[in-house]
Amino acid sequence: MRRTAILLALLLAALGLQSPVSALAEFNVRDYGATGNGSTNDDDAIDRAINAANAAGGGTVVFPSGRYRSRTIHLKSDVTLRLDSGSVILAASSGMDAAESNSYDDYQDYGHSHFHNALMWGNGLTNVHITGVGTIDGDGNLITGTPDSGEADKAIVLTECSNVSLTGVTIRRGGHFAALINGCHDILIDDLKTIHTDSGVRDGINLINSWNVTVTDSRIEASDDALVFKSDYALGHTYTSRNVRVRDTTVYSHENNALQFGSETCGSFRDFRFDDITVLGAGKAGIGIVTMDGAIIEDIHYDHISLTKTTSPIFMKIGERKRCPGSPPAGRIRNITISNVTGTNLTAPVVTGTVGASDYSSTFTGTPAVDLGPGITLDNVDLTVPGGHPASEATRVPGEFPTTYPPRDYGPRPSYGYWIRHATGITLNGDLRFSSNDGRPAVIADDGSNIVLDGVVAQRGSSSAYDIGFSGVNGYAVRDSTNTGGGALRIRATNSTPLPSGPAVTVGTEAEGGTVTAPMQRAADSAASGGSYVAVASGNNSQSSAPSTGHATVTVNVPSAGTYKVMGRVVAPADTDDSFWVRVDGGAWVNWNDIAPGGSWHWANVTDDAASNALATYNLAAGDHSLTFAYREDGARLDRVLVTTDLALAPTGTGP
């Protein structure tokens, strides 16, 4: 126990959070009238202890061994709940707080829209912690659907709180949500366990509109989505979900998604890292990313992931449900890396009406008007799928299904490994195999561009007509790839054009090295490439149109004609200081907006905000070309500039 406390304190200190073990005083719930006998409702006594700790300026509310039956508990700032060994908080069957009214509940389902009908809840709190080795148990009394009067459907709810930690405890039969966290920041979840049971549980942990989150050394199980990231409109506004780290954690969903973005996706998501994750099952997707309501999901990275018993190993989809104010257009999924993945025994944990079939191929799909990508890179991803599908399925053309998101909607895919449609900038590397002979090709890509297989090994079915199929793909390549016997892959390309056989072209230069006109100016920074960068003088903004002066113009020489993207090494301090105007060779200005905010230099693609942040590409002839960057919002900084034919390029450091 002492070692756990020390580790917890170190983790919290690294995140800048107050440690619950440093609380000034302890408040034993039994001293305030709690019985712990499992039948008497102890919530009034628990609330008295919480209020006393809060009034004292903060403290730890202690639950010694016992079974504490409780109606709704009201959390307060600067208070830690500590569940000691043998302690259990049990949900009462009636008398829970009523659901508050919400004028925004048309934008998400009932469970997401209401917060007070919970075993415990807090709103607008700071320094709230739940820790220990005890258990929070819905005891079959937390509802998994819409609760009646006096009933609750959530174990823990926190809204617009800061400095939050859930550590050590176990949550059983959590109702619709074991933990629903919306609009919170600076969150630590460590050594937490949610338990899947046959009844009384749906979602595990929902992190909604939340940022600065760390999840470590936990085991998240659920019947429905297990560990899921969403952005709904239940608060009447959204926040950008960002700076999220998940590591050394085991995840299991009995019927739905294990690691999931969406489906509620009103606000955007960026800067997520998943490392050393074990997925033990998923009735839908092991790794799922869907944007249904206009969100941009970008800068998401998975490394060292083990998948087993997942119906669809990897599933990415852009949809158009538009269930947010203003009926937003389709969102974007881009700059996603998935590395060092092993997937075996890839069948559903249980086949039900919720799941559909026992297996579905990994899928990447946009819409007919909006491509998924670019920057979708799978590196060293080794999947062994069940197989056993007939060659006749290779001719299937699944429907579009723009307003729904389950993988089952598309039915059997025409390929066993990856099915790609309406996508750009996809790079695949790794092994694709099956357990039972499969007559479909390994990969099919329809209606896309810049699809590259590099270092793929694909098993060949005895009745498959070809191994890799491209249809309507503008730019494809199959490099250093073979079948499992070492032979060449058979490629079928229809209405498609190959990428140039030579290596990608990338040319770089320093933004400050060209012509700079006021109020754009050069400034020094030892972390910048070459030690300096360009930015506009403070107080200058030109959001409606590009300014007539205040430009940084550089010249680049490209050795061969091709389709190029432009990248910049940038710093965008905040969402309100994250944009430039860009043009190439004196052409139309592009509004380069929504650069990922933060205080560190990072690479970002030049995108076109007028096209909902679509990647801006330029068909350039061999020779010199001018790139001009004008200020739009003060505070944004520009260091180094690249032009490249590698539309999936994601440089590190100062880049090439």
Side-chain angles (χ1 to χ4, degrees):
M1 182 67 182
R2 183 173 182 273
R3 179 178 178 272
T4 300
I6 293 170
L7 290 173
L8 174 58
L10 291 172
L11 276 169
L12 290 166
L15 291 168
L17 306 183
Q18 174 184 316
S19 171
V21 299
S22 64
L24 297 176
E26 293 188 355
F27 300 80
N28 191 314
V29 294
R30 290 184 180 267
D31 294 336
Y32 291 83
T35 66
N37 63 18
S39 57
T40 303
N41 285 332
D42 287 327
D43 48 278
D44 288 340
I46 294 168
D47 276 352
R48 285 193 292 269
I50 289 173
N51 291 336
N54 174 260
T60 300
V61 173
V62 178
F63 292 78
S65 180
R67 295 172 63 81
Y68 300 89
R69 182 71 60 184
S70 183
R71 295 164 298 192
T72 299
I73 297 167
H74 304 93
L75 303 173
K76 294 290 182 71
S77 292
D78 303 310
V79 175
T80 296
L81 304 188
R82 193 185 78 207
L83 280 63
D84 288 346
S85 178
S87 66
V88 183
I89 299 176
L90 296 162
S93 60
S94 62
M96 297 291 188
D97 283 2
E100 74 281 23
S101 62
N102 189 340
S103 58
Y104 304 105
D105 59 6
D106 287 343
Y107 298 115
Q108 53 280 317
D109 65 26
Y110 185 91
H112 286 85
S113 297
H114 304 281
F115 308 118
H116 293 179
N117 52 338
L119 176 55
M120 56 183 75
W121 67 268
N123 171 251
L125 308 181
T126 59
N127 301 324
V128 56
H129 308 286
I130 301 174
T131 190
V133 294
T135 299
I136 298 167
D137 192 343
D139 201 27
N141 293 323
L142 294 179
I143 306 304
T144 58
T146 301
D148 292 329
S149 176
E151 293 180 329
D153 64 349
K154 294 169 274 280
I156 300 170
V157 174
L158 294 167
T159 55
E160 300 197 291
C161 297
S162 63
N163 194 5
V164 171
S165 68
L166 305 176
T167 59
V169 297
T170 297
I171 305 174
R172 295 176 54 85
R173 295 178 286 189
H176 192 164
F177 305 95
L180 180 68
I181 299 173
N182 195 334
C184 299
H185 63 91
D186 297 287
I187 302 164
L188 172 66
I189 297 174
D190 178 64
D191 193 25
L192 181 75
K193 292 172 284 295
T194 68
I195 305 300
H196 166 259
T197 58
D198 291 336
S199 62
V201 60
R202 278 179 63 182
D203 283 18
I205 307 298
N206 273 220
L207 287 156
I208 305 172
N209 295 311
S210 295
W211 67 100
N212 298 346
V213 178
T214 298
V215 180
T216 61
D217 295 298
S218 294
R219 185 181 179 103
I220 311 300
E221 301 179 3
S223 293
D224 207 319
D225 294 338
L227 181 57
V228 56
F229 303 90
K230 301 177 180 178
S231 179
D232 62 26
Y233 208 74
L235 300 174
H237 52 264
T238 65
Y239 299 97
T240 297
S241 300
R242 64 186 188 274
N243 188 27
V244 175
R245 303 292 183 264
V246 182
R247 61 178 182 270
D248 301 311
T249 288
T250 297
V251 185
Y252 172 82
S253 168
H254 191 60
E255 295 180 0
N256 288 304
N257 302 291
L259 296 173
Q260 174 74 0
F261 286 85
S263 68
E264 291 78 8
T265 44
C266 292
S268 291
F269 306 78
R270 59 169 65 106
D271 187 16
F272 281 65
R273 303 289 187 275
F274 300 86
D275 294 286
D276 297 297
I277 309 296
T278 300
V279 175
L280 294 180
K284 290 181 182 174
I287 296 173
I289 305 176
V290 301
T291 174
M292 299 299 299
D293 308 309
I296 297 171
I297 304 177
E298 62 183 348
D299 190 17
I300 314 296
H301 306 279
Y302 303 81
D303 191 21
H304 289 96
I305 312 294
S306 171
L307 303 173
T308 187
K309 296 191 76 63
T310 62
T311 309
S312 186
I314 304 169
F315 182 75
M316 300 187 198
K317 173 177 180 170
I318 298 174
E320 293 183 291
R321 181 175 60 185
K322 305 181 179 183
R323 197 172 68 170
C324 297
S327 188
R332 297 291 187 274
I333 298 174
R334 61 194 184 203
N335 299 329
I336 314 292
T337 64
I338 302 176
S339 305
N340 302 310
V341 175
T342 58
T344 57
N345 192 18
L346 298 173
T347 58
V350 59
V351 178
T352 69
T354 298
V355 174
S358 61
D359 69 282
Y360 294 115
S361 307
S362 293
T363 297
F364 306 87
T365 181
T367 77
V370 177
D371 282 347
L372 184 145
I376 310 298
T377 301
L378 276 64
D379 181 34
N380 194 30
V381 175
D382 298 337
L383 303 177
T384 301
V385 302
H389 290 250
S392 59
E393 289 184 0
T395 61
R396 290 195 77 252
V397 181
E400 294 290 347
F401 306 104
T403 62
T404 63
Y405 55 89
R408 68 173 181 269
D409 290 351
Y410 296 98
R413 311 312 194 252
S415 47
Y416 74 79
Y418 300 110
W419 178 60
I420 302 167
R421 184 169 67 181
H422 313 317
T424 184
I426 309 285
T427 301
L428 305 176
N429 169 272
D431 283 16
L432 295 172
R433 301 172 187 263
F434 44 72
S435 298
S436 298
N437 186 41
D438 200 293
R440 299 169 295 173
V443 178
I444 285 181
D446 295 323
D447 183 32
S449 60
N450 297 288
I451 310 296
V452 176
L453 281 66
D454 191 346
V456 170
V457 175
Q459 191 169 0
R460 177 179 299 172
S462 61
S463 60
S464 64
Y466 57 98
D467 302 310
I468 311 295
F470 300 101
S471 177
V473 175
N474 180 19
Y476 69 86
V478 179
R479 302 168 180 153
D480 298 323
S481 298
T482 68
N483 61 39
T484 51
L489 295 177
R490 300 166 299 168
I491 299 170
R492 174 179 290 180
T494 305
N495 298 322
S496 299
T497 57
L499 288 166
S501 59
V505 174
T506 301
V507 179
T509 188
E510 299 295 331
E512 70 277 9
T515 302
V516 180
T517 60
M520 195 76 92
Q521 58 191 11
R522 297 177 177 88
D525 183 349
S526 60
S529 172
S532 57
Y533 63 91
V534 294
V536 71
S538 180
N540 290 279
N541 294 277
S542 184
Q543 295 186 13
S544 60
S545 62
S548 59
T549 187
H551 303 167
T553 301
V554 296
T555 299
V556 295
N557 182 277
V558 298
S560 59
T563 299
Y564 289 80
K565 72 174 180 179
V566 181
M567 305 189 73
R569 191 168 184 257
V570 290
V571 169
D575 289 334
T576 54
D577 294 306
D578 64 350
S579 64
F580 294 95
W581 295 98
V582 184
R583 68 179 176 184
V584 175
D585 293 334
W589 288 103
V590 165
N591 176 1
W592 181 20
N593 201 354
D594 287 329
I595 298 170
S600 300
W601 291 105
H602 65 280
W603 286 98
N605 292 319
V606 172
T607 56
D608 184 357
D609 190 59
S612 300
N613 284 296
L615 178 70
T617 58
Y618 303 90
N619 293 319
L620 303 181
D624 288 342
H625 297 274
S626 65
L627 279 63
T628 302
F629 299 84
Y631 69 88
R632 187 173 184 274
E633 294 172 308
D634 63 343
R637 309 172 196 171
L638 177 64
D639 175 19
R640 186 165 171 77
V641 177
L642 297 179
V643 294
T644 179
T645 58
D646 183 356
L647 301 189
L649 180 66
T652 59
T654 58

